[in-house]
Amino acid sequence: MTIELFFRLLGSLALLIYGMKTMSDALQKMAGPSLRHVLARMTGNRLSGMLTGTMVTCAVQSSSATTVMTVSFVSAGLLTLAQAISVIMGANIGTTLTAWIMSLGYNLDLTIVVFPAFLIGMVLIYKKRHRVAGDFLFGLAFLFWSLVMLSSVGRDMDLAHNADVVSFFASFDTGSYLTILAFLAAGTVITCVVQSSAAVMAITILLCSTGVLPIYMGIALVMGENIGTTATANLAALGAGTEARRAALAHLMFNVFGVIWVLVVFYPFVDMVCSLVGYNPSMAGQTERIPIVLAMFHTCFNVLNTALLIGLIPQMEQIVCRLLPEGKAETKQPVTLHFINSGVMQTPEIAVLQAQKEIVHFAERMHRMFGMACVLIDERDKKERESQYARIERYETIADNMELEIAKYLEQVGNEHLSDDTKDKTRVMLRQIGELESVGDACYKMARTVVHLRENKEDFTSEQYTRLHEMLRLVNEAVTQMIVVVSGRRKDLSLTDSLSIEKDINQLRDQLRAETVVGVNSHQYSYALGTIFNDIVADCEKIGDYVMNIVEARLGKHLLSYGGLCLNLDKKTATVDGDAVNLTPTEFSLLHLLLVNRGKVLSRQQLMDSVWAGVIVTDRTVNVNITRLRKKIGPYAQNIVSRTGFGYVFED
């Protein structure tokens, strides 16, 4: 074989792998949300699990994607091991469609559709709304083109007249089980190395179609490919939990069992498959039927193997549980994250669902932390108070770690090629975890304030406790409603309940501030005690703000709020404590920019570049608009603070 033919062969295989990956990624983007819902609603019915696995694999054209997806769901607790095994069985049936597509490519001239597919795909890619469909057409075109080139390379190689190649394969005894086992092992190793069962199938079809590789050896390679393809899921599960590793092991067991029983009846079984397509292994020629024979064997192997084992799923589950028992360290060691495992990152579209469940878990932790802070306020016993404060400190550390770990995970997911819908979800999730961590900060600050109060040997009056409990009750309602929102389906929820609670919190905050002034002036308590009381009330109100931001992010409403100040980003309108404020477009843009960058000082030049982009203005223009804006937003004017000689900042 010449150097040119060698590189044409490798290039064709590389193009095949690239085309399959591009097509699979595009299909996952188009069907990602639907696939998540399909798998998440999986029932315990074995047949429905198997059919779902088949359907999903046919949809994404990748059994590896389906099995890794399934392992991810087991790791996240969305599927039981038994459900996962049934899905994996279906995935093995669904992957046979790829073999049929490839056999079609060897028997038909696909050049007639390749270049039109490239042209249409390019047009769709440049139209951003349809670029995923364009990616799919590009992947499909590359796949078909690679098959055309492989067929051409096979003819040009003319292996049937290459004495060395013919003598090499002729040296193997097709009637010997040692030969079959050797080629089976070769198929397994090659598939593990190239991580593409499609590439191995293409090589097998190429060699068999030239007539140099007997059909028995080709089928042995296909059997090895069935074992080798399980390496992807097993590698993905290495860093995951025990349940995920068990699901991956079940996949390996399923294929190994199939290979074993086929080996027992190997020659009669292969002859039966050949007879189904009218191919006689003892006769020369008939090369056009060989791709169909290989595809038919692949289908019969997986369908019959599933039929034999689908009734034995409970037994398979018991075996893998015995082979991979729950480790003591794993059961006793506390974990920060429950649903995210760094080892399962090969299906980014599905990883988003795990991150969402982790955010629900994060929200529940912050709810418990708020409950601890409430208990701390009423705790009189010093020892119990110190113990409770230590728990709150620990939860604060956990909150910081959870924010960083979830953010890191979402960044890894974001590095993959995602659909626009999934990209939006990751951005929303990043905002949610930032606000949840702020809830933890506010709870911790409240706890520190209470500890400071006790250290000074001071205490609130009974009236202050009564009013404070009213505020805590409202904030608890807000946090509870937030959990309902983050764990529910968006289309079934609305902002109404959360907005109502937020309004009540703001009104009560204003009342308590006014009452504190009266209490200090009438000498009911000291100014210092009134300040501490107001600090706790302010922390509660901040928690309400953070909770509202999380709810708005989750429900996809384009609102930005701070206390009673609310911006509607769609309508470009603003309200203060429910009352509309008439802002000019420039004033709205200024307020929006300051509010988005809350706590961050923005220079006048930064404000000019963002709000007056492309227009020449002076510092005086910025100052005048800030002055007008302050007059219109009433009580929140004091939050817009000037930094002399530099710019402005919206402070809490």
Side-chain angles (χ1 to χ4, degrees), residues 535-552:
D535 286 344
I536 295 178
V537 170
D539 289 331
C540 289
E541 192 271 335
K542 283 182 180 178
I543 292 173
D545 288 343
Y546 300 140
V547 163
M548 195 65 218
N549 291 338
I550 293 167
V551 170
E552 290 170 357

Side-chain angles (χ1 to χ4, degrees), residues 333-595:
Q333 182 181 1
V335 292
T336 302
L337 301 182
H338 285 186
F339 303 102
I340 289 176
N341 274 295
S342 59
V344 185
M345 276 297 300
Q346 296 197 29
T347 51
E349 293 285 339
I350 303 302
V352 173
L353 184 63
Q354 290 174 268
Q356 181 58 47
K357 288 185 71 67
E358 201 64 71
I359 288 173
V360 175
H361 174 224
F362 194 178
E364 290 170 347
R365 276 186 180 272
M366 293 304 95
H367 191 193
R368 288 197 295 272
M369 187 178 181
F370 176 72
M372 294 174 196
C374 294
V375 171
L376 185 67
I377 290 173
D378 294 322
E379 187 57 63
R380 294 292 188 274
D381 184 78
K382 182 179 180 181
K383 186 176 180 181
E384 287 295 325
R385 188 168 62 245
E386 290 175 350
S387 174
Q388 190 76 347
Y389 182 70
R391 289 183 66 198
I392 293 173
E393 280 188 313
R394 187 165 64 252
Y395 264 65
E396 163 64 7
T397 303
I398 289 173
D400 291 341
N401 290 338
M402 288 189 76
E403 181 194 19
L404 292 175
E405 291 178 31
I406 297 174
K408 181 180 177 181
Y409 183 79
L410 288 173
E411 286 172 3
Q412 290 176 337
V413 174
N415 290 333
E416 303 294 331
H417 299 291
L418 302 174
S419 63
D420 290 339
D421 178 61
T422 306
K423 287 178 182 177
D424 290 339
K425 287 179 181 177
T426 58
R427 283 192 288 267
V428 168
M429 288 178 186
L430 286 169
R431 181 184 173 192
Q432 285 177 315
I433 60 175
E435 299 291 349
L436 283 170
E437 194 275 333
S438 296
V439 171
D441 287 342
C443 291
Y444 183 48
K445 184 173 179 293
M446 193 191 311
R448 290 204 312 270
T449 303
V450 173
V451 169
H452 177 68
L453 174 72
R454 302 299 181 216
E455 288 175 349
N456 290 339
K457 308 295 184 182
E458 292 187 279
D459 201 2
F460 298 133
T461 65
S462 59
E463 178 64 22
Q464 283 179 309
Y465 271 117
T466 300
R467 299 293 275 163
L468 189 56
H469 286 151
E470 290 179 27
M471 174 62 81
L472 295 173
R473 178 183 57 78
L474 283 174
V475 175
N476 186 64
E477 285 182 18
V479 177
T480 302
Q481 180 62 23
M482 174 196 72
I483 293 175
V484 170
V485 170
V486 297
S487 59
R489 298 182 61 185
R490 285 182 293 177
K491 69 177 185 179
D492 300 329
L493 301 164
S494 73
L495 278 170
T496 306
D497 292 336
S498 295
L499 284 171
S500 176
I501 300 171
E502 170 71 3
K503 184 177 180 181
D504 291 343
I505 290 174
N506 291 335
Q507 289 177 348
L508 183 57
R509 173 207 58 196
D510 294 339
Q511 292 174 15
L512 295 181
R513 283 178 177 174
E515 290 173 5
T516 299
V517 172
V518 173
V520 171
N521 290 336
S522 61
H523 304 292
Q524 296 177 28
Y525 40 80
S526 66
Y527 177 82
L529 190 62
T531 301
I532 292 175
F533 180 81
N534 278 341
D535 286 344
I536 295 178
V537 170
D539 289 331
C540 289
E541 192 271 335
K542 283 182 180 178
I543 292 173
D545 288 343
Y546 300 140
V547 163
M548 195 65 218
N549 291 338
I550 293 167
V551 170
E552 290 170 357
R554 171 63 178 159
L555 295 181
K557 304 296 182 182
H558 297 286
L559 300 175
L560 183 63
S561 62
Y562 175 82
L565 177 62
C566 182
L567 303 185
N568 186 316
L569 305 184
D570 290 328
K571 298 180 179 179
K572 306 293 183 185
T573 57
T575 58
V576 173
D577 295 329
D579 297 324
V581 178
N582 186 23
L583 299 180
T584 66
T586 299
E587 291 165 353
F588 182 89
S589 298
L590 264 177
L591 182 56
H592 177 222
L593 186 62
L594 290 168
L595 203 51

Side-chain angles (χ1 to χ4, degrees), residues 86-192:
S86 65
V87 175
I88 288 169
M89 289 179 176
N92 278 269
I93 295 176
T95 194
T96 61
L97 179 62
T98 305
W100 284 105
I101 292 174
M102 297 180 71
S103 68
L104 179 70
Y106 273 87
N107 285 294
L108 297 176
D109 184 6
L110 298 175
T111 53
I112 194 172
V113 298
V114 169
F115 296 106
F118 275 130
L119 177 61
I120 297 171
M122 181 59 70
V123 172
L124 292 176
I125 287 173
Y126 274 96
K127 289 188 174 182
K128 291 187 177 180
R129 285 185 58 191
H130 304 291
R131 70 172 180 267
V132 177
D135 288 339
F136 167 72
L137 280 177
F138 249 63
L140 188 64
F142 277 128
L143 171 62
F144 286 164
W145 196 15
S146 67
L147 294 175
V148 171
M149 288 193 295
L150 281 170
S151 180
S152 173
V153 169
R155 288 191 298 270
D156 293 343
M157 288 169 65
D158 195 21
L159 294 178
H161 296 91
N162 188 314
D164 293 334
V165 174
V166 172
S167 62
F168 172 76
F169 286 110
S171 64
F172 293 98
D173 182 7
T174 57
S176 170
Y177 267 96
L178 288 176
T179 298
I180 302 303
L181 291 172
F183 276 82
L184 188 151
T188 302
V189 171
I190 295 171
T191 307
C192 288

